[in-house]
Amino acid sequence: MLAQLAEAIRSHRPESIAACRALAERALAAGVPAARIVDAALIPAMADVGRRFRADEIFVPEVLVSAKAMQGALDVLEPALADAGREPFATIVLGTVQGDVHDIGKNLVAMMLRGAGLRVVDLGVNVAPQRFVAAIDAHRPELVGLSALLTTTMDAMRATLDAIVAAGQRDRVRVLVGGAPVTAAWAMSIGADGHADDAAEAATVALRLLGR
Amino acid sequence: MRDDLRHALAGGAVLLADGGIGTELMRRGFRLGECPELWNRERPADVRAVHDAYAAAGAQLLTTDSFGGHPMRLALHGLDAACEELNRRAAELARGAAGDERWVIGSLGPCGRVLAPLGDADPDAVRAGFERQARALLAGGADLLLLETVTALDELAAAVAALRAAGGSFVGASFAFDLTRRGEIRTMMGVDVATAVRAAVAAGVDLVGANCGRRLGPAELAPVVRQLADESGLPVLVEPNAGTPEPTSGLHPLGPSVFAAHALELVAAGARIVGGCCGTTPEHVAALRAALGGGRDSRDAPRASDR
């Protein structure tokens, strides 16, 4: 059943969205612990989707369908996860930086991070540095994720990091950056803790930064 | 001359379009986080100056500062209610610089959302937004309407229908193709060139094209232009960026002369309207003007039959 669920997520067929909910319900009814369904089906399936997206074997539409399917299963599993005491183990404040209104990539990152078990506070697009600072105070996240699609807004990433430093928050959060123009070298040059090329890698790097 | 774009293209003329608008506004102080379309209201002299610079460089088609003028994009700045005003002003500013000697391209970028059922944007609302934007661009004096950096076919179909409903008599679709890591040419949504052409022709456009695109600059676009021309039977527009920006500096690497040399290859491949996208400047357009053979009037421009 778990293999079926993973395959349904990987298939990125529109009908798999409903199928995943049903499969998750059946797995729960059969007594499979919700956490095991997440760990053995949802996460490996989305990791595989991310790997194929990164290799340009599949594209945004396929990832969106798979992410919706995964989210459907997660919705079914969440009450059971909460009952079992598996609360989100960390929080990430996420947003597209100031000057950039692109959110498709950032939304994919949010879905992957939720699938990986994080609480995601999504600040949206065109987020000013001070809004990140305020959200860090309000939500006490372990991680901050900055997204940019435009080369012209990469400097806003640096400005956001500078604002986090100026607010005295830098030692409380690990900062993850990503987006089409962002390279590992750039991430290092602005003082970020991690960099990801795509949504699946973002989840992997987030877990690594959290020591998992 | 304005009325005969269809005629000019049918007669084999190669027409020169302008270069990047957003990157030129940045040279004039446009700051990150601002709404570029708001400059049509707040900084009209600067927008006009960009158009004038491109006209002086020899561009025969001037593009409106309205790429992000779909109401869903403007809503990110709280400006969706100003859709009509900003787009009309955008077209009026370009029209003022163009006079009767040049054509005005009404620019329409993507709505910025993924349409349902795949995404969460209501297709009817997307279509209605394009229609509002198109009506305003036409009211301000746009001669043709150009959907730029198209990546999704559902949005393309909705947009073309909207532009026709708004009264657009000359409608073009220009795709943003990327070079994938597997060496294929596809849009961000996975659409290959042949599929894109079929969808554009089925939607009933008058022109197809390619602009911007990741890892696909002027040096790499010739095969795309050839395929667009061969498979569509329509005039082809191409507006490359000035190469892929340097990751660390964000600067576009291709200078005017190199850009112009590559652009000539695109003309040889069948492009009938050639201009530039992000990072190209009036200097790039002037270099291209010189490479194409000087004259600023379309009657003097090289014709495809002369190649």
Side-chain angles (χ1 to χ4, degrees):
Chain A
M1 204 157 10
L2 294 184
Q4 247 181 307
L5 177 55
E7 183 47 38
I9 291 172
R10 272 196 296 262
S11 75
H12 55 74
R13 283 193 302 269
E15 59 270 24
S16 68
I17 295 174
C20 282
R21 295 186 68 96
L23 283 165
E25 279 161 5
R26 276 174 49 198
L28 276 183
V32 183
R36 174 156 165 71
I37 301 173
V38 171
D39 294 340
L42 269 51
I43 289 177
M46 284 310 285
D48 186 49
V49 169
R51 184 191 59 71
R52 284 186 291 150
F53 180 60
R54 199 173 313 155
D56 283 335
E57 291 171 23
I58 57 173
F59 297 89
V60 170
E62 290 80 13
V63 178
L64 283 174
V65 171
S66 287
K68 274 191 173 183
M70 181 204 68
Q71 188 63 51
L74 208 53
D75 290 345
V76 168
L77 299 175
E78 251 160 16
L81 287 170
D83 287 348
R86 177 159 155 163
E87 296 292 331
F89 57 84
T91 297
I92 181 165
V93 162
L94 184 68
T96 304
V97 295
Q98 186 163 44
D100 205 325
V101 296
H102 294 87
D103 69 351
I104 293 173
K106 184 263 300 164
N107 292 346
L108 285 174
V109 170
M111 281 194 270
M112 297 297 272
L113 292 171
R114 287 194 183 105
L118 274 78
R119 183 167 77 99
V120 177
V121 179
D122 187 345
L123 301 181
V125 299
N126 195 15
V127 180
Q130 286 311 318
R131 281 191 58 212
F132 278 104
V133 168
I136 292 168
D137 272 337
H139 300 285
R140 303 276 153 183
E142 288 80 5
L143 294 172
V144 174
L146 309 179
S147 172
L149 180 73
L150 305 173
T151 52
T152 46
T153 50
M154 289 167 68
D155 260 337
M157 281 190 169
R158 188 201 305 272
T160 304
L161 264 159
D162 290 349
I164 291 170
V165 171
Q169 298 171 326
R170 189 64 186 91
D171 55 350
R172 302 212 310 253
V173 293
R174 315 298 302 279
V175 178
L176 178 61
V177 297
V182 179
T183 62
W186 162 261
M188 202 178 295
S189 76
I190 62 170
D193 298 300
H195 150 263
D197 273 329
D198 60 69
E201 196 184 3
T204 308
V205 174
L207 294 178
R208 197 178 68 224
L209 289 175
L210 292 165
R212 296 210 167 211
Chain B
M1 162 174 150
R2 271 180 61 194
D3 298 328
D4 61 355
L5 178 59
R6 213 178 288 270
H7 180 74
L9 290 168
V14 173
L15 302 176
L16 183 60
D18 55 4
I21 299 292
T23 43
E24 280 304 291
L25 294 182
M26 290 178 72
R27 296 216 294 192
R28 292 167 192 276
F30 176 80
R31 286 178 44 217
L32 302 174
E34 291 183 60
C35 171
E37 290 69 33
L38 189 57
W39 272 43
N40 294 306
R41 179 204 286 167
E42 307 285 340
R43 303 280 296 269
D46 288 285
V47 177
R48 173 65 190 261
V50 171
H51 293 317
D52 285 339
Y54 278 123
Q60 294 160 292
L61 298 99
L62 303 181
T63 309
T64 56
D65 172 27
S66 58
F67 178 85
H70 190 286
M72 288 180 178
R73 292 276 301 251
L74 293 174
L76 297 168
H77 303 279
L79 287 167
D80 43 325
C83 171
E84 281 76 12
E85 180 212 338
L86 296 178
N87 282 286
R88 181 179 44 76
R89 283 178 185 267
E92 286 169 353
L93 285 166
R95 179 85 269 156
D100 284 334
E101 298 304 308
R102 297 173 188 83
W103 291 280
V104 170
I105 300 175
S107 161
L108 303 95
C111 72
R113 311 250 307 265
V114 179
L115 274 62
L118 192 58
D120 63 359
D122 173 5
D124 287 337
V126 171
R127 193 204 55 73
F130 276 116
E131 188 172 334
R132 283 175 63 190
Q133 186 183 7
R135 279 188 196 284
L137 289 168
L138 291 170
D143 296 304
L144 63 150
L145 298 173
L146 181 64
L147 298 162
E148 296 189 294
T149 67
V150 177
T151 63
L153 300 185
D154 49 1
E155 186 174 8
L156 170 71
V160 173
L163 271 45
R164 293 296 189 202
S169 59
F170 197 108
V171 170
S174 179
F175 294 87
F177 292 111
D178 303 330
L179 184 63
T180 73
R181 292 170 186 83
R182 286 149 57 96
E184 299 175 322
I185 293 173
R186 291 176 182 268
T187 72
M188 179 186 83
M189 303 302 268
V191 181
D192 63 25
V193 180
T195 308
V197 169
R198 274 201 302 277
V201 170
V205 300
D206 303 296
L207 168 147
V208 293
N211 72 297
C212 232
R214 287 170 63 192
R215 296 188 289 269
L216 207 61
E220 293 84 32
L221 274 167
V224 175
V225 168
R226 203 168 289 121
Q227 193 177 355
L228 287 172
D230 289 349
E231 297 186 12
S232 73
L234 294 169
V236 172
L237 166 147
V238 63
E239 296 186 336
N241 48 38
T244 300
E246 304 286 350
T248 46
S249 68
L251 295 175
H252 292 78
L254 296 188
S257 59
V258 177
F259 178 85
H262 287 309
L264 281 188
E265 296 164 11
L266 302 179
V267 171
R272 306 292 298 286
I273 298 178
V274 60
C277 201
C278 307
T280 59
T281 66
E283 292 75 38
H284 288 76
V285 171
L288 187 48
R289 172 79 286 162
L292 283 170
R296 286 184 188 177
D297 190 295
S298 66
R299 283 167 300 187
D300 301 331
R303 290 172 187 258
S305 54
D306 296 336
R307 287 206 303 270

